[in-house]
Amino acid sequence: MPAVVVALLLLFLMSCRDAKLPATLAATLPGVADETGMAMGLFNRTKNHSDEAGPLYRGNFGVAPDAALDEWVVVSYNLRYGEAITETIAAFQSIAPLPAADVVMMQEMHESGVSAVAQALGYNYVYYPASVASHGDNFGNAILSRWPISDPAKIILPGLHPLTGQQRTATRATVSIGDADAGTEEVLVYSVHAETATAPRSLRRAQYEAILNDIPADATRVIIGGDFNTVTGRGVNQLAQLFDAGGIDHASAALGPTFTRFGLRPSATDHIFYRGFEWQDAGVLGHITASDHFPVWARLAVP
């Protein structure tokens, strides 16, 4: 088998956990199919939730702070099919700065997992599934916040993965900070899961641009977090440049790898962007093993 074909197959396996090689092809790549533990055939089509209106899941378990904050801690976390909910809750209860998180953007979640995290940690939440994973659970993005959440929306990103047919989406909502006496201020929040690196670059760029095009020009405070599937340094730089051209700053620049695969840590694939805040600091918690991704956090001051 030509080396370029092998390389493309391995890249597919690294970025798309929902597939396995057919038996005849796996025989030519000893150990690869067994190591990945993947359950769906290579060319199977994904069931997508293509209705922009839903399904929508939401809950209110948060108690807003007594006064508006001068500083926000925001976290983005791809939780790998929501498999390690108990471990995730424990991390958010004990590993700084996660217990201080005011807004959390989660990807690869199912509705029961989002609800369990929100109830245990005291968050309000909105969640839209994008598709159904191979094991039958929903697969999508959530926004959690201690503050009230309103105006939820699902953004269906353009294109489908050329091999699996999987649809990608972003969840958007408005988080209202402050109180009735002092006045409230609205923050537009996006939780994003973009296409994998095996899709054409033009498709992935179109998905990034769809997020930027959705942001109203008069939105003064914006937070965008998620898994953008940037697997090279060049990809990270191109993503940051695109958002910078749209007036959106990169809060999590230069943090290093944010996920692991086959024992390697190839790149920063998870990012946080913002508008209308002042950057304080940011980090990636590479020792938390509840997922193949690591929580990425940023501390942003309210001017």
Side-chain angles (χ1 to χ4, degrees), residues 63-275:
V63 177
D66 294 334
L69 303 176
D70 295 328
E71 189 176 84
W72 272 29
V73 174
V74 298
V75 177
S76 180
Y77 196 14
N78 178 319
L79 201 49
R80 190 177 181 176
Y81 301 128
E83 292 174 338
I85 297 299
T86 300
E87 293 87 342
T88 298
I89 291 171
F92 272 82
Q93 290 172 332
S94 60
I95 301 176
L98 298 183
D102 300 289
V103 174
V104 180
M105 297 150 287
M106 288 187 165
Q107 302 84 43
E108 295 201 23
M109 294 297 292
H110 47 75
E111 57 271 23
S112 59
V114 177
S115 180
V117 171
Q119 291 187 62
L121 300 178
Y123 286 115
N124 307 310
Y125 76 90
V126 295
Y127 165 73
Y128 285 101
S131 59
V132 178
S134 59
H135 54 274
D137 286 342
N138 279 326
F139 175 97
N141 310 314
I143 297 171
L144 301 88
S145 176
R146 303 190 191 282
W147 300 93
I149 301 178
S150 62
D151 303 322
K154 178 171 68 175
I155 303 168
I156 297 179
L157 301 179
L160 300 174
H161 191 283
L163 295 180
T164 67
Q166 187 176 36
Q167 165 189 278
R168 297 287 171 153
T169 67
T171 294
R172 184 192 71 210
T174 299
V175 175
S176 300
I177 62 174
D179 56 44
D181 295 331
T184 60
E185 186 166 4
E186 296 183 341
V187 180
L188 194 60
V189 180
Y190 293 80
S191 180
V192 179
H193 195 181
E195 191 52 85
T196 63
T198 54
R201 183 183 302 174
S202 59
L203 185 153
R204 297 168 65 231
R205 182 182 177 91
Q207 293 185 347
Y208 303 155
E209 291 175 338
I211 300 300
L212 288 171
N213 292 337
D214 186 78
I215 302 171
D218 60 352
T220 56
R221 302 201 196 282
V222 180
I223 294 173
I224 305 168
D227 178 3
F228 290 83
N229 274 308
T230 47
V231 299
T232 65
R234 180 183 179 186
V236 172
N237 291 336
Q238 290 175 339
L239 172 67
Q241 290 169 5
L242 182 66
F243 273 65
D244 181 68
I248 305 295
D249 295 314
H250 195 186
S252 55
L255 293 185
T258 66
F259 84 115
T260 180
R261 193 68 48 80
F262 304 125
L264 305 175
R265 298 190 176 196
S267 70
T269 185
D270 306 271
H271 304 273
I272 296 173
F273 296 90
Y274 69 98
R275 173 196 286 170

Side-chain angles (χ1 to χ4, degrees), residues 34-56:
D34 292 337
E35 182 179 357
T36 60
M38 299 175 186
M40 192 172 75
L42 183 62
F43 296 102
N44 283 10
R45 309 302 287 179
T46 303
K47 177 183 177 181
N48 294 315
H49 293 293
S50 298
D51 183 356
E52 291 184 350
L56 167 63

